[in-house]
Amino acid sequence: MSESEIIESKPTALSRWSGIILMIAILGVAGILSALTAMRFAIRGREVVVPSVIGKTEAEAQKILADNGLVLKVSTKRFSPNVSEGHILEQIPANGTRLKTNRSVKVLVSLGERKFAVPNLAGASLRAAQLTLAQRRLLLGNTLYAHTPDGEPSTVAYQSP
């Protein structure tokens, strides 16, 4: 073997340092990626998927949300002809959304179908009954005429409701 071949086979100080620096860089990148991945899993671990509570009673919704680490917050109540009283109409955020635990889910609770007090019209004239109903924004339904022995003409003898 010649002397020049022996010199080329010996590692130089520069190549040793570049190898060490390359290894440190690889380990540093791997460490940063591992830390980012671990932090992402740690943060995601404290998140839950919001379940649907629409159509449930307020008590059922509170239990379902509590079982998932969430809190029920009734934001308001509203009349609804389609949803029974005490049942959930809407929720925010929607089901399927990811939330951190112990966060609140706002719900809109149904008051049921709107009910109105119907005035007692018995004994009033037909015209007075129509005016009373109009003032309360109610409509006169079916009208039946009958002869009564002691009633005056065009007087309300019976009403339902």
Side-chain angles (χ1 to χ4, degrees):
M1 214 186 266
S2 72
E3 193 176 313
S4 63
E5 291 176 14
I6 294 173
I7 292 174
E8 287 179 15
S9 65
K10 287 185 179 180
T12 63
L14 180 62
S15 67
R16 263 189 254 145
W17 279 108
S18 64
I20 291 172
I21 290 172
L22 181 63
M23 286 299 258
I24 290 172
I26 291 171
L27 288 173
V29 169
I32 290 171
L33 288 175
S34 297
L36 289 174
T37 303
M39 284 175 36
R40 184 169 204 165
F41 279 119
I43 291 170
R44 289 274 183 197
R46 288 183 248 134
E47 286 185 346
V48 294
V49 176
V50 177
S52 176
V53 293
I54 294 174
K56 308 284 187 209
T57 65
E58 198 173 332
E60 290 171 336
Q62 187 169 19
K63 181 174 182 351
I64 290 169
L65 292 174
D67 291 346
N68 284 284
L70 298 169
V71 179
L72 176 75
K73 182 177 180 185
V74 177
S75 62
T76 187
K77 296 184 177 188
R78 177 174 83 193
F79 290 103
S80 172
N82 303 327
V83 180
S84 302
E85 183 177 357
H87 288 74
I88 308 298
L89 281 167
E90 295 176 14
Q91 72 181 60
I92 298 173
N95 65 317
T97 306
R98 296 185 69 79
L99 268 186
K100 290 183 180 178
T101 56
N102 296 322
R103 298 294 170 130
S104 62
V105 175
K106 295 178 184 175
V107 296
L108 178 65
V109 178
S110 173
L111 292 172
E113 196 167 345
R114 187 178 292 246
K115 296 175 184 155
F116 297 95
V118 178
N120 183 9
L121 303 171
S125 71
L126 182 59
R127 180 72 183 136
Q130 288 171 332
L131 290 172
T132 302
L133 292 173
Q135 287 173 345
R136 297 188 184 196
R137 295 192 174 128
L138 299 171
L139 297 174
L140 179 65
N142 295 333
T143 305
L144 299 174
Y145 294 92
H147 292 287
T148 57
D150 56 326
E152 295 182 22
S154 297
T155 302
V156 177
Y158 172 78
Q159 76 179 54
S160 175

